Amino acid sequence: MGNSFTITVVAENQRTGNGYINLAVDEIRRIEKLLTTYKEDSQTNLINDNAGIRPVSVDLEVFNLIERSIGISAITQGAFDISYGSIDKSLWNFDKSMAKLPDARTALKMVHLINYRNIILDRENTAVYLREKGMRIGFGGIGKGYAAEMAKQVLLRHNVQSGIINASGDLCAWGLQPNGQKWTIGVADPEWPNAAFSYMEISDRAVATSGNYEKYITIDGKKYSHTIDPKTGLPITGIKSVTIIAPNAEFADAMATPIAVMGIKAGLFLIDQIPDLYCIIIDEGNKIYTSKNINLK
């Protein structure tokens, strides 16, 4: 999955706590094996290898995740799209050696296979078919949140009443700290990612952040985010970071990047239409925008 996880649980003693943590680790490894594109025999790669050829039957769990992903694509008008894996990466290299941006026409060619509407689902046979040859799906925009959420569910089934699962900075927290207080979560400062610009107290919530500090290139003194608009093939501009607060980690993870793609006005409008979903956006000028009912400290 390419992400590091930190797991915290509240337990009666260290031995019991370590046992719970091992359960969560096993679940995250199971999800990774299921979704990764780094193993040839993963279900994701079987779907991709048969793009434009035939449908592939997958586990119901994978089918349902793809179905939910397509639903998120629909509400974000394609700003979130698991067929983003189809992008031609030959012109995008964020290893700092890139010296200029591709022109708009060339960039558009890079994304011609990205289209969630060409992911065809057959629920009766739990089969997935990618309509265009060369299409690829990937779970980079939702997988770590899904893994965190699934690990949390495993712990809840074992009566772990409180804990945090941190998936490379995106996290879900439930229950209370041993002192009875809610968990205090820092929101990363885009200028100094290892520091927090604000804090919030949460319980039974997930927080995910997408920021241009994660991976970027600088051309002619301007920083370009690694976040590519799937409709244009060009990097987004104007936003430093988007933080999403949601009831579960999968949804929080999935919504952070598309809100950045949609932009401040459209992104906040969408967030305000969805119950129990909240957002903090920091623009290039360090101005902070929030959805309704956000109380920053």
Side-chain angles (χ1 to χ4, degrees):
M1 200 168 291
N3 300 112
S4 61
F5 284 72
T6 304
I7 301 162
T8 304
V9 298
V10 177
E12 57 191 33
N13 57 56
Q14 185 170 354
R15 181 178 178 183
T16 303
N18 286 338
Y20 291 144
I21 288 171
N22 288 336
L23 290 173
V25 171
D26 288 345
E27 178 66 359
I28 291 166
R29 286 177 173 160
R30 185 187 71 80
I31 300 295
E32 180 179 28
K33 186 177 180 182
L34 202 60
L35 303 182
T36 184
T37 55
Y38 292 105
K39 292 185 178 178
E40 291 183 1
D41 60 347
S42 73
Q43 296 196 13
T44 307
N45 277 339
L46 286 175
I47 294 169
N48 292 337
D49 291 344
N50 286 283
I53 300 174
R54 65 175 180 85
V56 173
S57 293
V58 297
D59 291 355
L60 180 61
E61 176 181 7
V62 175
F63 184 92
N64 286 339
L65 180 61
I66 293 173
E67 187 174 60
R68 291 195 298 275
S69 296
I70 292 173
I72 295 171
S73 294
I75 65 172
T76 60
Q77 301 176 22
F80 174 86
D81 196 326
I82 58 170
S83 67
Y84 181 82
S86 310
I87 192 170
D88 181 348
K89 297 176 181 173
S90 60
L91 291 180
W92 281 115
N93 185 352
F94 286 92
D95 66 356
K96 317 291 184 185
S97 64
M98 193 170 180
K100 65 177 184 178
L101 295 176
D103 61 75
R105 188 173 178 180
T106 303
L108 198 56
K109 287 181 181 176
M110 295 159 51
V111 295
H112 74 285
L113 288 175
I114 300 175
N115 188 347
Y116 69 92
R117 296 179 183 85
N118 286 331
I119 304 171
I120 311 302
L121 301 183
D122 173 359
R123 175 160 284 281
E124 185 176 353
N125 297 300
T126 61
V128 182
Y129 175 56
L130 306 183
R131 186 175 279 156
E132 300 289 340
K133 203 157 191 175
M135 273 187 76
R136 295 179 62 82
I137 62 170
F139 297 95
I142 194 171
K144 66 178 177 179
Y146 177 66
E149 189 64 32
M150 292 298 288
K152 172 191 161 186
Q153 295 303 324
V154 166
L155 294 176
L156 285 173
R157 288 198 292 274
H158 284 80
N159 290 320
V160 178
Q161 300 296 316
S162 184
I164 297 178
I165 298 179
N166 185 337
S168 297
D170 297 347
L171 56 85
C172 59
W174 71 102
L176 301 172
Q177 299 183 68
N179 63 6
Q181 301 293 312
K182 291 183 177 181
W183 299 99
T184 301
I185 304 298
V187 180
D189 185 331
E191 293 294 329
W192 309 97
N194 292 325
F197 86 88
S198 184
Y199 294 89
M200 65 180 83
E201 293 181 344
I202 67 168
S203 179
D204 301 320
R205 288 287 182 274
V207 180
T209 297
S210 175
N212 68 359
Y213 51 83
E214 295 169 321
K215 190 182 286 186
Y216 61 89
I217 53 172
T218 302
I219 299 175
D220 296 332
K222 184 172 182 178
K223 183 188 284 188
Y224 292 92
S225 165
H226 75 292
T227 302
I228 305 298
D229 185 335
K231 293 178 182 174
T232 66
L234 293 170
I236 66 165
T237 58
I239 291 177
K240 282 185 174 178
S241 72
V242 172
T243 296
I244 299 290
I245 302 104
N248 72 75
E250 175 190 317
F251 197 36
D253 186 19
M255 290 300 288
T257 296
I259 294 302
V261 171
M262 294 174 74
I264 296 169
K265 185 177 180 181
L268 289 177
F269 179 79
L270 173 62
I271 293 289
D272 286 338
Q273 311 310 306
I274 301 174
D276 214 13
L277 189 65
Y278 309 93
C279 177
I280 304 166
I281 300 175
I282 302 177
D283 72 8
E284 280 186 336
N286 293 323
K287 186 175 180 180
I288 299 172
Y289 303 80
T290 67
S291 60
K292 298 174 182 174
N293 301 323
I294 289 277
N295 183 23
L296 295 176
K297 291 186 176 180

